[in-house]
């Protein structure tokens, strides 16, 4: 079978690649249609997956949209030309009147010696008339200019309104239409859509090609806190309308699955975790010192690791602040990317703990576990900003588990279920720096056994959090959908 | 009878077939889009230089000339409205006969090929080379065409009722070119020591060029004096000189059926290696087809074996020339097409 996956990702989620490779191993042909930047190659192979990137400037406008653009453009050009012509004409006429008035004044001035008094009066009269004419012409010029400006605004507003009306009746926006064109060209046997922003494309493709559609919700998208309330409402409406069109719905954990089922009144989606497949060369039992070596951290110091995007919404500021309240042998390593890193650095230097807060650039995905395993504990401090983060199941959770790294997590449902349920680490409500400090101190408390007390559980149960188990569920979904 | 050939001049076939039919007494002519660096012969060329203008020029041509033409012979799933094929129903309404000649990616179902055949170009080719109007062309041809030709027998399965019309070659014209090309390389040939393997990858992924490159490297490592000559991005006349310089040719390694390059190399009297699918060999190709079959896996071994039996090459070359004369001579092909034009209802 040919499976086409559609994703809005530019940086392709590992989950997508895991799924694609598993399906390829089952003998399917995999094509991944992703978003891209104009400087990225349009076509490339990612492992065994054929990937096409469609840059956002490759939108395909409908004929009616193109017609409106062209009408608008041409009308504005015509108005500009007419306006210029009118201005020139008015200036010309005004100039002519001025010259005539000047001529009359000079003529009258010449004869002034003969009939001085009469002529002075006539001269004044001519001057007055010229002033009036000038004022009238200025007024006409201004009125014409305003008229043309009004006309241009009218054209812009009318075409804008027409475009809005056209788009109201057009099922897909221009970029999604371009994606749909490519999807239809590939003529898949199954469409697999990753996340809500491209679900409309998947549904349109399904209707056009009459093939099954799988929707893989990596997030509870309409609940993302960065959306405005209007956007959130629209996304909810969209998801509710489109979900019944999907042959199968997958999501990342049971909490989101239950919530989707409850809110949209659909059968509970299949849960496929963001689990990972450790590289075959990776052995967490083998002690690694990568972080210590690179950041010059002494062997008797403890390393707490945060890895991933330095986002201002992830509680990282409180985490850094908390470092001044924990024993001095604990060092925090922030490994990842993002502009917020500079702010974090400043918080550390203001608190005079720069020597215990270290920054490391993000490492390639295939090296990540080797770095992760060289820390002593990991932390996931996400605050519950919205329903989506409340029910989050971040990749780093699975990375920490595979690296056998004891974990400190904020008290969120899925994180609690895994970390407290399996006794993989410390679960505490992380709101203030003091909460963070307490959690960190508890994790590293030697009287409780330090992070080592969680190692045995991690070693024994990590297998259940590897991709293999999720892969079986995915193949079952495909089996169901294709029969 | 007035016959139109065009507007796509795939491998120069439209121009060549029109000329052959004209020589056979039919009022045929070709009117084609420019063929890029290959600069294939065509009686008339579209002058416009942008796709929209080209389309307009072709439509204007149709409006002026269509009523004078009896048969329209279209290539590569394109008609006078190019990939839209909107003119076909109108031509049929006007009582014209319409023929299509398909050549590969214009009708090949890549999904089906990947699924059914372990060796195939579609799996490896990225981006996909399938024509965007493939399904439409098949539907339009199936509904309106008086005859559907395919250039290689592997394409027969993709369009019901199609006929294998082997790629034509103008042997008289080709002999002239060949003699000129051979004469120009006579001197250098006497000096050269390396065995030159020529390969003309119009599309490297479709032809499986990297398998050949690996095979040649393997042979070089083994100490064979071989050199791979890739004939690409040059005019047809320049390409012929390269062909003449070579000792042996390798056509595609992934499709399963030989192409125009193999025909030309056989006409040159060179031994040709190409991947031939077993089912096609059994059902369509003659038992004495003078082409050595090789797969991407065994191409190095086949080349090695061929080099070890270098003394057979003149015989294979002779057989190739005879085969091309019997099967691919444009006069033979033109006779077939003319018969179809007359007999089609």
């Amino acid at each position: 079978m040919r499976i086409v996956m559609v994703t809005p990702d530019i940086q392709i989620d590992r989950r997508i690649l895991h799924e694609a490779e598993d399906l390829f191993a089952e003998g399917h042909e995999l094509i991944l249609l992703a978003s891209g930047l104009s400087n990225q190659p349009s076509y490339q192979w990612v492992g065994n997956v054929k990937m096409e990137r469609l840059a956002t400037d490759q939108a395909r406008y409908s004929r009616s949209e193109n017609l409106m653009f062209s009408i608008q453009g041409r009308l504005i050009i015509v108005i500009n030309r007419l306006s210029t012509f009118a201005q020139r004409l008015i200036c010309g006429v005004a100039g002519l009147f001025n010259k005539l008035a000047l001529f009359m004044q000079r003529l009258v001035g010449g004869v002034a010696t003969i009939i001085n008094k009469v002529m002075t009066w006539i001269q004044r009269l001519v001057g007055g008339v010229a002033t009036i004419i000038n004022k009238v012409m200025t007024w006409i010029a201004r009125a014409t200019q305003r008229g043309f400006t009004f006309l241009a605004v009218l054209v812009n507003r009318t075409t804008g309104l027409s475009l809005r009306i056209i788009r109201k009746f057009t099922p897909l926006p221009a970029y999604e239409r371009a994606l749909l064109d490519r999807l239809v060209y590939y003529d898949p046997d199954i469409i697999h859509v990753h996340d809500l922003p491209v679900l409309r494309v998947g549904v349109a493709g399904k209707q056009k090609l009459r093939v099954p559609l799988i929707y893989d919700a990596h997030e509870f998208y309409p609940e993302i806190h960065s959306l405005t309330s209007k956007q959130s409402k629209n996304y909810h409406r969209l998801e509710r309308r489109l979900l019944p069109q999907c042959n199968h719905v997958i999501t990342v954990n049971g909490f989101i699955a239950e919530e989707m089922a409850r809110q949209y009144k659909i059968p509970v989606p299949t849960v496929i975790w963001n689990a990972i497949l450790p590289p075959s060369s990776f052995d967490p039992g083998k002690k690694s010192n990568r972080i210590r070596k690179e950041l010059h951290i002494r062997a008797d110091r403890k390393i707490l690791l945060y890895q991933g995007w330095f986002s201002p919404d992830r509680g990282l500021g409180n985490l850094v602040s908390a470092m001044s309240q924990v024993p001095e042998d604990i060092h925090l390593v922030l490994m990842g990317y993002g502009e917020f890193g500079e702010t974090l650095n400043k918080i550390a230097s203001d608190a005079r703990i720069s020597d215990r807060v270290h920054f490391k650039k993000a490492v390639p995905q295939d090296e990540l576990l080797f770095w992760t395993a060289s820390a002593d504990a990991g932390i996931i401090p996400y605050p519950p900003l919205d329903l989506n983060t409340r029910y989050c199941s971040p990749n780093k959770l699975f990375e920490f588990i595979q690296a056998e790294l004891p974990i400190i997590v904020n008290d969120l449902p899925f994180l609690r279920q895994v970390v407290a349920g399996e006794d993989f680490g410390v679960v505490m409500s992380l709101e203030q720096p003091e909460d963070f400090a307490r959690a960190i101190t508890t994790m590293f408390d030697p009287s409780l056994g330090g992070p080592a007390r969680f190692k045995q559980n991690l070693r024994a149960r990590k297998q259940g959090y590897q991709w293999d188990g999720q892969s079986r569920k995915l193949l079952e979904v495909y089996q169901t959908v294709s029969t | 009878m007035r016959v139109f050939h065009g507007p796509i001049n795939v491998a120069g076939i439209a121009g060549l077939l029109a000329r052959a039919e004209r020589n056979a007494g039919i009022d045929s002519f070709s009117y084609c889009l420019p063929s890029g660096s290959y600069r294939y012969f065509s009686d008339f060329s579209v002058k416009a230089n942008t796709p929209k203008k080209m389309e307009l020029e072709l439509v204007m041509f149709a409006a002026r000339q269509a009523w004078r033409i009896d048969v329209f012979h279209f290539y590569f799933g394109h008609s006078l409205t190019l990939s839209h094929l909107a003119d076909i129903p109108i031509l049929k309404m006007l009582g014209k006969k319409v023929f299509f000649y398909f050549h590969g990616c214009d009708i090949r179902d890549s999904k089906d090929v990947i699924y059914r055949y372990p060796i195939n170009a579609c799996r490896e080719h990225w981006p996909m080379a399938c024509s965007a109007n493939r399904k439409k062309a098949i539907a339009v041809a199936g509904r309106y065409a008086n005859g559907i030709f395919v250039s290689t027998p592997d394409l027969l399965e993709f369009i019901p009722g199609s006929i294998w019309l082997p790629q034509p070659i103008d042997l008289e014209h080709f002999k002239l070119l060949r003699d000129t090309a051979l004469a120009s390389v006579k001197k250098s040939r006497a000096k050269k020591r390396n065995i030159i393997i020529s390969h003309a990858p119009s599309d490297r992924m479709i032809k499986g060029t990297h398998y050949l490159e690996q095979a040649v490297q393997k042979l070089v490592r083994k100490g064979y004096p071989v050199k791979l000559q890739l004939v690409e991005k040059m005019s047809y006349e320049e390409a012929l000189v390269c062909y003449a310089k070579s000792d042996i040719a390798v056509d595609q390694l992934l499709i399963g059926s030989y192409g125009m390059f193999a025909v030309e190399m056989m006409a040159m009297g060179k031994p040709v290696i190409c991947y031939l699918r077993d089912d096609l060999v059994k059902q369509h190709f003659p038992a004495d087809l003078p082409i050595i079959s090789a797969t991407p896996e065994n191409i190095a071994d086949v080349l090695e074996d061929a080099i070890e039996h270098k003394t057979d090459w003149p015989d294979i070359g002779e057989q190739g020339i005879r085969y091309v004369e019997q099967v691919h001579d444009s006069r033979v092909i033109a006779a077939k097409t003319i018969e179809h034009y007359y007999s089609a209802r």
Side-chain angles (χ1 to χ4, degrees):
Chain A
M1 275 193 305
R2 175 176 292 163
I3 298 162
V4 175
M5 292 184 163
V6 189
T7 173
D9 290 3
I10 292 175
Q11 179 80 37
I12 308 296
D13 192 332
R14 189 178 45 206
R15 173 188 179 87
I16 298 175
L17 297 176
H18 276 333
E19 289 182 350
E21 285 292 349
D22 282 346
L23 293 164
F24 176 84
E26 283 296 298
H28 303 300
E29 183 192 8
L30 261 297
I31 296 175
L32 177 59
L33 200 49
S35 296
L37 304 171
S38 42
N39 60 353
Q40 285 179 306
S42 299
Y43 297 93
Q44 65 186 109
W45 286 85
V46 182
N48 292 302
V49 182
K50 298 168 177 177
M51 179 162 77
E52 178 181 356
R53 284 189 185 276
L54 203 69
T56 40
D57 56 8
Q58 283 176 281
R60 184 175 72 75
Y61 294 103
S62 67
R63 280 187 189 163
S64 38
E65 281 171 308
N66 279 328
L67 186 70
M68 289 314 299
F69 290 142
S70 133
I71 288 173
Q72 183 188 25
R74 282 179 193 183
L75 277 178
I76 293 294
I77 289 171
V78 169
I79 290 169
N80 274 341
R81 283 189 187 159
L82 278 176
S83 164
T84 312
F85 173 74
Q87 290 298 322
R88 278 185 192 160
L89 190 72
I90 290 162
C91 285
V93 172
L96 206 67
F97 273 117
N98 274 339
K99 278 180 187 166
L100 195 66
L102 201 67
F103 171 74
M104 286 293 285
Q105 277 178 340
R106 278 183 188 163
L107 184 71
V108 170
V111 194
T113 46
I114 309 162
I115 34 174
N116 203 4
K117 281 183 182 173
V118 179
M119 283 303 120
T120 306
W121 184 82
I122 294 172
Q123 204 174 14
R124 278 183 193 157
L125 183 72
V126 170
V129 169
T131 311
I132 290 167
I133 287 170
N134 261 345
K135 279 189 180 166
V136 169
M137 291 313 283
T138 310
W139 184 83
I140 291 173
R142 273 190 202 153
T144 317
Q145 186 61 42
R146 279 185 193 159
F148 281 115
T149 309
F150 172 74
L151 212 58
V153 170
L154 191 72
V155 166
N156 276 341
R157 294 224 170 132
T158 314
T159 44
L161 184 70
S162 314
L163 276 171
R164 241 182 281 164
I165 294 167
I166 289 167
R167 283 170 185 168
K168 202 93 183 154
F169 292 100
T170 317
L172 291 177
Y175 177 68
E176 290 180 36
R177 217 174 299 143
L179 274 175
L180 178 64
D181 282 352
R182 298 310 294 158
L183 177 64
V184 171
Y185 170 69
Y186 290 128
D187 190 20
D189 298 302
I190 292 184
I191 301 169
H192 188 140
V193 162
H194 294 273
D195 274 332
L196 186 56
V198 286
L199 182 55
R200 247 187 318 201
V201 177
V203 170
K206 174 203 162 123
Q207 286 165 349
K208 205 157 191 172
L209 300 166
R210 296 174 192 280
V211 294
L213 168 67
I214 295 171
Y215 173 44
D216 198 338
H218 298 198
E219 324 257 357
F220 196 11
Y221 207 90
E223 294 289 343
I224 293 177
H225 75 280
S226 55
L227 299 174
T228 62
S229 66
K230 192 181 173 193
Q231 283 174 323
S232 172
K233 222 179 265 175
N234 285 343
Y235 272 127
H236 263 302
R237 207 177 302 141
L238 187 71
E239 202 163 39
R240 183 173 295 114
R241 183 166 62 83
L242 298 180
L243 274 178
Q245 308 270 348
C246 304
N247 295 70
H248 206 101
V249 181
I250 301 171
T251 190
V252 289
N253 66 49
F255 294 97
I256 293 181
E258 293 287 347
E259 194 60 34
M260 285 176 85
R262 191 184 65 76
Q263 286 201 20
Y264 300 133
K265 304 202 171 19
I266 54 163
V268 180
T270 302
V271 172
I272 294 180
W273 287 340
N274 285 332
I276 62 162
L277 192 66
S280 53
S281 58
F282 175 70
D283 175 9
K286 235 176 175 179
K287 191 68 192 156
S288 160
N289 272 326
R290 284 193 188 211
I291 292 180
R292 272 176 223 284
K293 265 190 193 165
E294 171 130 347
L295 301 175
H296 309 291
I297 300 171
R298 277 167 42 186
D300 59 343
R301 301 298 190 231
K302 306 290 178 200
I303 297 175
L304 175 65
L305 175 69
Y306 168 82
Q307 61 189 36
W309 179 33
F310 302 150
S311 160
D313 297 329
R314 291 189 167 179
L316 298 177
N318 284 344
L319 170 63
V320 174
S321 300
M323 287 306 291
S324 58
Q325 301 169 36
V326 303
E328 287 193 353
D329 63 337
I330 302 170
H331 285 232
L332 173 66
V333 173
L334 297 148
M335 183 167 74
Y337 58 97
E339 285 171 10
F340 191 59
E342 286 167 26
T343 311
L344 296 174
N345 204 351
K346 190 166 181 313
I347 294 172
S349 71
D350 287 350
R352 296 166 188 255
I353 46 170
S354 293
D355 57 331
R356 292 199 291 124
V357 177
H358 310 264
F359 291 86
K360 160 95 186 84
K361 275 187 186 167
V363 296
Q365 199 61 240
D366 54 343
E367 286 179 27
L368 180 63
L369 278 191
F370 297 93
W371 288 91
T372 307
S374 65
D376 296 300
I379 184 161
I380 304 174
Y382 298 177
L385 294 169
D386 52 53
L387 212 56
N388 185 52
T389 37
R390 184 169 170 71
Y391 291 148
C392 69
S393 46
N395 287 344
K396 52 183 74 50
L397 172 71
F398 296 92
E399 287 154 4
F400 288 155
I401 294 171
Q402 292 313 314
E404 297 179 7
L405 209 62
I407 316 157
I408 300 169
V409 295
N410 194 7
D411 194 357
L412 303 178
F414 183 72
L415 299 181
R416 166 169 281 282
Q417 188 184 58
V418 176
V419 177
E422 302 279 15
D423 202 15
F424 286 165
V426 175
V427 181
M428 273 194 195
S429 177
L430 303 175
E431 285 175 14
Q432 300 301 321
E434 294 73 32
D435 304 330
F436 280 81
R438 208 170 48 245
I440 296 166
T441 312
T442 309
M443 168 61 82
F444 288 99
D445 188 346
S447 66
L448 297 173
R453 66 188 186 273
F454 302 109
K455 284 270 184 188
Q456 200 182 344
N457 290 336
L458 281 159
R459 204 164 299 142
R461 295 174 196 157
K462 68 174 182 183
Q463 190 72 30
Y465 293 87
Q466 282 188 357
W467 179 253
D468 298 355
Q470 309 309 309
S471 169
R472 275 193 292 279
K473 286 194 258 178
L474 177 73
L475 299 180
E476 277 167 24
V477 168
Y478 268 80
Q479 192 72 33
T480 317
V481 165
S482 58
T483 47
Chain B
M1 180 181 272
R2 192 140 206 254
V3 183
F4 166 90
H5 288 265
I8 308 285
N9 201 2
V10 192
I13 292 175
L16 204 151
L17 205 50
R19 191 162 59 193
E21 286 174 2
R22 212 159 46 234
N23 291 341
I26 297 283
D27 185 10
S28 294
F29 70 99
S30 53
Y31 182 48
C32 300
L33 301 175
S35 50
S37 61
Y38 294 107
R39 285 177 273 161
Y40 290 122
F41 167 79
S42 167
D43 296 314
F44 306 100
S45 284
V46 172
K47 302 279 183 298
N49 50 9
T50 65
K52 275 197 175 171
K53 285 181 184 168
M54 283 175 180
E55 211 172 323
L56 187 70
E57 191 178 324
L58 284 166
V59 169
M60 294 306 289
F61 163 80
R64 280 198 315 270
Q65 300 287 333
W67 60 279
R68 289 191 214 162
I69 296 165
D70 305 296
V71 176
F72 286 85
H73 193 140
F74 294 122
Y75 296 77
F76 214 73
H78 282 59
S79 67
L80 293 168
T81 49
L82 299 177
S83 62
H84 305 299
L85 302 169
D87 53 327
I88 305 293
I90 300 166
L91 293 176
K92 289 302 292 181
M93 261 181 0
L94 294 171
K96 310 296 176 189
K97 288 181 180 176
V98 172
F99 287 80
F100 279 94
Y101 195 3
F102 292 106
H103 297 266
C105 298
D106 46 356
I107 52 164
R108 189 179 287 115
D109 182 350
S110 61
K111 263 195 318 192
D112 196 39
V113 169
I114 291 171
Y115 180 69
R116 288 173 59 188
Y117 303 110
I119 298 173
N120 67 75
C122 302
R123 183 180 288 119
E124 307 196 11
H125 200 285
W126 187 245
M128 251 164 62
C130 304
S131 294
N133 76 337
R134 186 182 67 81
K135 281 188 174 173
K136 189 177 188 179
I138 292 172
V140 169
R143 183 166 173 196
Y144 296 106
N146 296 85
I148 303 166
F149 303 122
V150 293
S151 62
T152 51
D154 61 302
L155 301 175
L156 289 167
E157 65 183 277
F158 299 114
I159 189 153
S162 54
I163 301 155
W164 176 29
L165 186 72
Q167 306 92 323
I169 181 167
D170 184 344
L171 281 176
E172 271 184 35
H173 184 65
F174 190 81
K175 269 177 199 163
L176 280 174
L177 289 170
R178 182 184 65 187
D179 293 343
T180 319
L182 285 172
S184 74
V185 298
K186 221 173 182 178
K187 277 186 184 172
S188 58
R189 196 176 231 198
K191 287 178 195 168
K192 80 180 171 75
R193 285 178 194 164
N194 278 342
I195 295 169
I196 297 177
I197 302 165
S198 72
H199 176 68
S202 47
D203 184 320
R204 286 175 173 230
M205 276 187 277
I206 286 184
K207 304 256 171 164
T209 304
H210 73 279
Y211 292 110
L212 178 60
E213 285 173 330
Q214 284 167 9
V216 171
Q217 281 168 12
K218 193 174 165 186
L219 291 178
V220 170
R221 280 198 299 272
K222 276 187 169 183
Y224 285 97
V226 289
K227 192 182 163 198
L228 180 63
Q229 182 183 48
L230 297 175
V231 185
E232 54 189 347
K233 293 172 192 158
M234 58 179 79
S235 75
Y236 184 53
E237 278 72 18
E238 287 165 338
L240 284 178
V241 175
C242 291
Y243 296 171
K245 279 181 188 169
S246 68
D247 300 290
I248 187 166
V250 178
D251 195 6
Q252 57 72 31
L253 291 171
L254 294 167
I255 296 168
S257 171
Y258 64 90
M260 198 63 198
F261 172 62
V263 175
E264 284 164 350
M265 291 309 284
M266 282 193 280
M268 279 263 180
K270 311 280 181 184
V272 175
I273 297 173
C274 173
Y275 167 53
L276 299 173
R277 227 168 61 203
D278 288 343
D279 60 307
L280 298 177
V281 172
K282 280 176 199 157
Q283 288 172 37
H284 299 286
F285 294 132
D288 58 346
L289 178 69
I291 292 180
I292 305 163
S293 185
T295 64
E297 285 77 35
N298 71 7
I299 176 66
D301 298 334
V302 171
L303 269 172
E304 189 177 347
D305 187 59
I307 293 164
E308 291 297 337
H309 298 88
K310 208 175 159 187
T311 47
D312 297 344
W313 289 4
D315 280 349
I316 299 172
E318 281 302 315
Q319 287 172 36
I321 291 173
R322 275 201 301 280
Y323 177 75
V324 169
E325 284 169 354
Q326 285 163 14
V327 178
H328 291 279
D329 187 345
S330 58
R331 286 169 295 197
V332 177
I333 304 299
K336 282 186 187 172
T337 53
I338 292 166
E339 196 187 319
H340 283 289
Y341 297 156
Y342 278 115
S343 63
R345 289 183 180 183

